Amino acid sequence: MMRRPLLGVLLACLAPAHVDAQSAPPAEPAAAPAQAPATVSVEDAYRRELAFLQAQRRELQASLERTRSSFQRDQAALERELSGLESRLLAARAGADQMAGQVAQVEEQTLASQENTGLLAATWEQAGSTLAGLGIEAGDGGFAEGQPDDTRLAALFAAATAELGRRSGIRREQGMYFLADGTEARGEIIHLGSVAAFAVGEQGSGALAPAGAGRFKLWPEPAQDEARALAAGRMPATLRAYLFESLAADAQPPRTKTLVDTVNDGGTIGWIIVALGALALVFVVLRALFLRSAGASTDKVLAAVAPLVQQRRFEDAIGAAKRHKGSSARVVTAALRNIDRDPEHLEDIVSESILHESGRLNRFGAIILVIAAVAPLLGLLGTVTGMIETFDIITDFGTGDPKLLSGGIAIALVTTQLGLVVAIPALLLGNLLSGWAERLKDDMEQAALRITNLAREDRAVAA
């Protein structure tokens, strides 16, 4: 559209010349002169077109400025709207977080309420059964079901407090109780609250203990003076009483365990360990006696043989050595029989003789050490056996009765104890006796060396 005015102006300027040059008719006689058309120069055309374009430019710039201003206004409005939406989003999130916290708090309160409900139900059941055992029923105490919880609780505590006050004092009544031989006697029973009782009667007095099924029996520990003092209305300085929680179970006096009872708690394995310990003790005593006799003869053999060797009476020296018993006498005899041999051969003979005697000196030593090693293993076997028995009882009867579990636990612990009791002294004494035997071998070797040295000295003097 901008180029159309410019082309029109150019065609208007060039049209007369073009017509005159190409389509000029044949020359005719000159007519009357026509009026010449108005001409527009190219410069004017460009100037006009420039003015037109500048006008359009100004119009476009104005339009652009209007569009830009409108865009900026729209952008500012959108930014304000976005900022408002963000603020609303933050507020919504804060509200959601607050509501989530309130929901969690409500859930915790609900859970706590459920727990309290369960605890309260267990309290009602336990308190009801306890007070029922004391002769206070829920209806009589005013805490029966169907009432508000606060009212029931107040009535329950009131009934319990009243009963506790009634039972915490000293009460006297005539009643029956069992004596130590099982016969039943009658007398005055003095209750100290609900935790202890004393009896005063012609057939027997003293502290009372539960006998089961709500009955009493005399406790073996003597407490006649305390019972009579209470019957007379005096409070003794010391009360040797048996304290109990209920009269349902029969109280048993503490049993004084003997060594046999302890071994019996270990079962068959416990007796096997004890038998091995006794066997090890016998071997230790026998080996100690044997080593003692073998060590005592060394000095005697030297005292009898040395003077005869110095006098070169070797046959008499052999006879003197044979009159003594033991390993030292046999080693010295072997050395005297081969006294004329060269030193190396004689040394080999003495070593062979000592080696031959080692079997006798080490007698029972290996058995003692084997028992020392086996006894702890048997104790470990008893521990495993006892634990298996305990778990079997738990599987069959549960963990409600500790007496049922005590058998397996006793086997587990007692066998371990017996194994260590046997192993520790057996290992210690076995090593001490082995060291004693080694010293005796050294003494025998020194005795044989002493004899050979005396023989060589005399031989050198004679030469």
Side-chain angles (χ1 to χ4, degrees):
M1 294 180 65
M2 295 174 61
R3 295 180 179 274
R4 288 179 181 175
L6 179 59
L7 291 175
V9 173
L10 290 175
L11 291 175
C13 296
L14 296 176
H18 180 73
V19 173
D20 292 341
Q22 295 184 2
S23 59
E28 294 180 355
Q35 188 176 358
T39 61
V40 178
S41 65
V42 176
E43 184 179 358
D44 293 336
Y46 275 111
R47 196 175 286 116
R48 291 177 181 174
E49 185 66 20
L50 179 60
F52 178 75
L53 292 176
Q54 288 178 347
Q56 284 192 338
R57 180 184 176 185
R58 287 192 296 273
E59 184 178 356
L60 291 174
Q61 287 179 346
S63 177
L64 180 61
E65 290 296 332
R66 289 193 299 273
T67 303
R68 183 177 298 169
S69 299
S70 176
F71 175 76
Q72 290 177 351
R73 288 194 299 273
D74 295 340
Q75 184 180 5
L78 291 174
E79 288 178 352
R80 289 194 296 272
E81 184 177 0
L82 179 61
S83 178
L85 291 175
E86 289 178 350
S87 299
R88 292 173 60 185
L89 177 61
L90 293 176
R93 286 180 178 175
D97 294 339
Q98 184 177 4
M99 293 181 67
Q102 293 176 354
V103 170
Q105 186 176 3
V106 170
E107 290 178 351
E108 292 178 356
Q109 292 176 354
T110 303
L111 183 60
S113 177
Q114 292 175 352
E115 293 178 352
N116 292 333
T117 302
L119 179 61
L120 190 59
T123 302
W124 289 125
E125 183 178 358
Q126 184 176 2
S129 61
T130 302
L131 293 178
L134 300 176
I136 303 175
E137 298 297 335
D140 300 334
F143 52 90
E145 295 182 0
Q147 303 181 38
D149 290 338
D150 53 349
T151 304
R152 293 183 66 191
L153 281 175
L156 175 66
F157 277 101
T161 303
E163 183 64 19
L164 183 61
R166 189 178 69 83
R167 290 179 173 271
S168 61
I170 299 178
R171 295 180 290 112
R172 301 168 184 265
E173 62 181 4
Q174 295 294 323
M176 305 296 293
Y177 55 92
F178 294 102
L179 300 177
D181 57 358
T183 58
E184 197 169 14
R186 186 174 184 81
E188 185 182 14
I189 298 177
I190 305 169
H191 297 271
L192 300 181
S194 58
V195 297
F198 288 85
V200 178
E202 296 180 356
Q203 297 175 301
S205 302
L208 296 178
R215 309 292 296 274
F216 284 109
K217 66 179 180 182
L218 275 180
W219 189 243
E221 185 176 356
Q224 294 86 352
D225 296 338
E226 288 86 345
R228 293 191 181 94
L230 290 173
R234 294 181 286 104
M235 180 61 70
T238 303
L239 272 177
R240 288 175 293 182
Y242 181 90
L243 301 179
F244 52 84
E245 295 181 354
S246 69
L247 302 178
D250 184 12
Q252 297 294 330
R255 186 175 54 132
T256 303
K257 295 182 69 173
T258 62
L259 180 60
V260 176
D261 294 334
T262 302
V263 178
N264 282 331
D265 290 340
T268 305
I269 298 177
W271 280 109
I272 293 175
I273 296 174
V274 171
L276 287 177
L279 188 62
L281 180 61
V282 172
F283 288 150
V284 166
V285 173
L286 292 177
R287 192 179 185 201
L289 293 176
F290 177 76
L291 294 176
R292 183 172 178 273
S293 62
S297 63
T298 302
D299 295 337
K300 295 179 181 178
V301 170
L302 278 177
V305 170
L308 298 175
V309 172
Q310 288 176 341
Q311 298 173 11
R312 301 193 60 77
R313 296 166 55 188
F314 296 115
E315 293 298 331
D316 294 339
I318 292 173
K322 285 185 177 180
R323 282 193 290 273
H324 294 83
K325 296 181 180 180
S327 300
S328 298
R330 285 189 288 271
V331 171
V332 172
T333 302
L336 290 172
R337 285 176 177 173
N338 300 277
I339 198 70
D340 294 332
R341 297 182 182 274
D342 57 277
E344 294 181 357
H345 191 187
L346 180 59
E347 184 177 353
D348 293 338
I349 290 172
V350 170
S351 298
E352 182 181 359
S353 180
I354 293 174
L355 184 62
H356 181 71
E357 296 297 330
S358 295
R360 296 186 178 88
L361 293 177
N362 293 332
R363 187 179 299 170
F364 306 136
I367 298 176
I368 295 172
L369 295 179
V370 166
I371 291 175
V374 169
L377 297 179
L378 286 173
L380 181 61
L381 176 62
T383 301
V384 175
T385 304
M387 294 308 297
I388 291 175
E389 183 177 336
T390 302
F391 286 125
D392 289 341
I393 293 174
I394 292 175
T395 303
D396 295 336
F397 304 102
T399 58
D401 191 355
K403 289 185 178 179
L404 292 177
L405 306 177
S406 62
I409 296 175
I411 293 176
L413 298 180
V414 170
T415 53
T416 303
Q417 182 186 22
L418 292 176
L420 294 176
V421 167
V422 171
I424 292 174
L427 182 63
L428 180 61
L429 294 176
N431 283 296
L432 289 176
L433 294 176
S434 297
W436 191 1
E438 292 299 324
R439 288 196 299 274
L440 288 180
K441 294 175 187 177
D442 294 340
D443 292 341
M444 287 187 292
E445 187 175 1
Q446 291 176 3
L449 182 61
R450 172 68 175 164
I451 295 300
T452 54
N453 289 336
L454 288 175
R456 289 172 185 169
E457 290 176 357
D458 294 339
R459 190 180 302 166
V461 172

